[in-house]
Amino acid sequence: MASATDKNEFFTVAAEPQVNSNIPPGPLAEKWTQHKFNMKLVNPANRRKHTIIIVGSGLAGASAAATLGEQGYNVLCFCYQDSPRRAHSIAAQGGINAAKNYRNDGDSVYRLFYDTIKGGDFRAREANVYRLAEISSNIIDQCVAQGVPFAREYGGLLDNRSFGGAQVSRTFYARGQTGQQLLLGAYQALSRQIDAGTVKMFPRTEMLDLVIINGKARGIITRNMVTGKIERHVGDAVVLATGGYGNVFYLSTNAKGCNTTAIWRAHRRGAFFANPCYTQIHPTCIPVSGDYQSKLTLMSESLRNDGRIWVPKTPGDKRPPHQIPEDERDYYLERKYPSFGNLAPRDIASRAAKEACDAGRGVGPGGLGVYLDFSDAIKRLGRQKIEERYGNLFEMYAHITGEDPYVTPMRIYPAVHYTMGGLWVDYNLMSNITGLFVAGEANFSDHGANRLGASALMQGLSDGYFVLPATMGNYIASEKPEKVDINHPAFAEAEAEVVERTKKLLSINGNRSVDSFHRELGKLMWDNCGMARSDESLRYALSVIPKIREEFWQNVKVPGEGEELNQELEKAGRVADFLELAELMCIDALHRTESCGGHFRIESQTEDGEAKRDDEHFTYVAAWESTGVGKPPVLHKEPLNFENVQLATRSYK
Amino acid sequence: MKLTLNVWRQKGPNDSGHFETYHTDKVLPEMSFLEMLDVVNQDLIAEGKEPIAFDHDCREGICGTCGMMINGVPHGRQIAGTPTTTCQLHMRFFKDGDTITIEPWRAKAFPVLKDLVVDRSAFDHIIQSGGYISVPTGAAPDGNAIPVPKPKADYAFDAAACIGCGACVAACPNASAMLFTGAKVAHLAALPQGQAERYDRVLRMVDTHDAEGFGGCTNFAECEAVCPKGISIDVIAQMNRDLFWANLTRSQPKAKKESH
């Protein structure tokens, strides 16, 4: 390995990496089937004797809770929202991929697998991705049976649309609200189990620490967000399905409550954090309009099926869009990537937008925007057809901007959307802590360095409906977790730490609000660890983050008390964790001197500005072990072996 | 923009609550209503006061978490002029110098937890009592095995678009949740997959609706007017038809599940 990746003042490298992916042997296409057969089972009558804790109730959490409950386990499910139906999976718009090949356009499990590996810039595990592609079809069947109202054609069969990074139509959708309908399907399946008594639901409850006993994850410490009560919960296994950490940037398309606390607390307890720098910047979001901005709104990628992206050819052209003649417009995606055109993958489309704006050709206030224009599609298909496909998205755009996108082209700009990184897991979705499983966006497993559109929903439901229910039984049956209860000293110790931390946050009583720190951190991360990263920018961020963190712990103001509904306290705890995570993200980004997918190091690009991978030195998963706040983490490298796919330069030209 | 806000403040479920008046001159027309409240809250924190508690999450009109009475109407529907959630209501609809009254949802089944935050778990209880299709994971036939005519699928989608925000209840003089309940009943009743449990479902869901303390529907249609997703009261008619048929054909009163 080259010295660049070996270490610097910010981290050390484990001589003997403790990351065993546990990928089953055998040919790619038979691994999962064979593995399922080889796994141990728990007798249906014995399942209710085992308690499984699931944190998070989005697509991954709700589907896992519903399925494990249905199998007969005693499930405890936690979410910070007032109802499991509100998890942020609900906001996913465009669709869910599945290798059904209903279009007869050449799709197959292998093609979905290949597209996902390539889309992820060859930084994901083959075996995991193949399993995902294999399961994708079952997910659609399951959701249809639950009553998810997918879009249909007049013949009554399921409709498909295209998505970025693919040349087949394999995306199933429910208008622009696919995530909502899939989540409500999972929520209803979960509700059925709550009614049946197999799942006990704890809404408005936040996990604040993980409890480890004899090296195994055995429980969690939570805070009841209405009464403030700190509580202990014990189980035979813990599943974290708490989503991504995009809110480290403050402004993102995530819901305001999305946070890293559950996975970060687990990381601090020993769980490895993999590829934290892999962040997805989504190309089509509504641009920032001012300093007060609290979040960014995504405009689904599906819009790129019919919308054409362009900027004026001349820098500084301030004419309104309809006055700019056709030959003075640059449809830059169609120009640069003729075979994928406007459906180039997200990382590529985002960088191209940044490039156009950096060249002074951006539109709208501050020049941070590009047009997404539907006039051709409206001319070709009629307004009604466009309304049918994207009605709610156009409405949302009009609500926010006060402009009518049927008449004036949308203005869009990239924004933080998804985090491919997350807790490290093996093929069974178990972290390096025995008994701690991680599912959905919270893990790092399937998307490599860039996630393709309509694949997050697929992964969340694959993990929850099909993977965890299989691997959990095997874990319980082979580990036979010993009996422990909440009076174990490890619970008391973890609880005391949580109480102490809460007390500390409330007692600082400084001069700055939680939000002001969060905004400061977010801007620093966006400027230095965002769409383009460099050795210089990352070192700068790494010099500033500890200072912000230090000031936070001396000068934050958290009004109110602990034993009540206290939203500032909730935010403070989350921002405190973001302030630690941000540092690890920058260290990871600094150590990975190659560009790949969403991670773009300006030092590593081709002549025409595309991401340049360094396969010789970086074909591995970077799994980080915590050694304490502000101390250099330890890097464990899990090599990625490509046995079926040949590493190639990713081209969408 | 300068605004005067009359905001409901209530320390906890057992506090009687009162209005407090705040003035702000930092509002911009591009802000969303919740961003306006963020600004007010930042000032309150700076003054050493407790910020106004309100529920919110996605801020893009889909999670259904936010919701408040704005000048007496859920989500400020009358101000936006079109169906909206509170997070999608923007300040450009207000005028400089306006006075805005902000209250939590008011309904017996939605007790106030703090300030503008209410407990809507009654909605979850309604869904838990049958608002689903009983299909174990892995037991599904191919997605295209059962064709669903497009108009049926579209109708099901329209009903399923409900975000469970509770505006319908807050708008109803009877604090009825019939639009919410009817939306789920109609969604599942429209699909072939939902037929097996159709009549049992409607009985159980309506029983729970009543047990949770929601009132009955007397056709004011206020719910439809404020629904951010434009769900039509046709779903209530559909539910009542199914309920009528279910009652006619029910052999014996079904034992009600333990109430939550």
Side-chain angles (χ1 to χ4, degrees), chain A residues 149-167:
Chain A
F150 282 116
R152 286 177 185 269
E153 299 181 317
Y154 283 97
L157 302 183
L158 294 162
D159 194 14
N160 291 105
R161 56 167 56 142
S162 307
F163 247 69
Q167 288 175 311

Side-chain angles (χ1 to χ4, degrees), chain B residues 174-186:
Chain B
N174 307 325
S176 173
M178 286 291 181
L179 192 72
F180 171 81
T181 312
K184 191 46 64 191
V185 167

Side-chain angles (χ1 to χ4, degrees), chain A residues 70 102 187 295 399 513, chain B residues 42 60 92 124 137 142 184:
Chain A
E70 198 174 271
Y102 282 163
Y187 160 74
K295 79 151 278 162
H399 261 304
S513 70
Chain B
Q42 289 298 306
E60 45 189 90
R92 63 174 180 275
D124 288 325
T137 305
D142 184 84
K184 191 46 64 191

Side-chain angles (χ1 to χ4, degrees), chain B residues 179-201:
Chain B
L179 192 72
F180 171 81
T181 312
K184 191 46 64 191
V185 167
H187 158 211
L188 299 176
L191 297 170
Q193 291 85 354
Q195 298 310 308
E197 300 163 290
R198 180 170 178 178
Y199 297 104
D200 186 41
R201 174 185 305 124

Side-chain angles (χ1 to χ4, degrees), chain A residues 306-325:
Chain A
D306 288 307
R308 298 179 69 196
I309 292 178
W310 64 276
V311 290
K313 276 188 180 160
T314 324
D317 189 338
K318 295 278 173 240
R319 287 175 291 176
H322 60 272
Q323 284 178 17
I324 301 178

Side-chain angles (χ1 to χ4, degrees), chain A residues 454-471:
Chain A
S455 284
L457 304 184
M458 173 171 70
Q459 187 222 334
L461 290 180
S462 165
D463 288 359
Y465 280 135
F466 297 103
V467 181
L468 275 178
T471 60

